[in-house]
Amino acid sequence: MKTLRDVVGPGVSPDSPELADAIHACGTVLRELRHAVRHELGESRLETDISN
């Protein structure tokens, strides 16, 4: 989230590669966090998560 904030904060073009990279990285980390939490709770991965 900090990386995304740092890219967006100064003002970046919506179609810039830096923004696309930051969004992708943020999504990856959030997916990993969701998997870790579900694993810790003994739940399976979400069926709708295409990153499985």
Side-chain angles (χ1 to χ4, degrees), residues 4-23:
L4 184 59
R5 177 203 61 201
D6 293 345
V7 169
V8 173
V12 66
S13 173
D15 58 351
S16 75
E18 294 84 10
L19 180 58
D21 290 345
I23 289 171

Side-chain angles (χ1 to χ4, degrees), residues 8-49:
V8 173
V12 66
S13 173
D15 58 351
S16 75
E18 294 84 10
L19 180 58
D21 290 345
I23 289 171
H24 178 73
C26 187
T28 298
V29 170
L30 289 175
R31 232 179 346 269
E32 291 170 2
L33 173 62
R34 183 174 56 244
H35 292 324
V37 170
R38 292 186 67 82
H39 177 76
E40 182 71 22
L41 295 173
E43 298 292 329
S44 61
R45 291 183 176 204
L46 295 174
E47 293 297 324
T48 57
D49 188 347

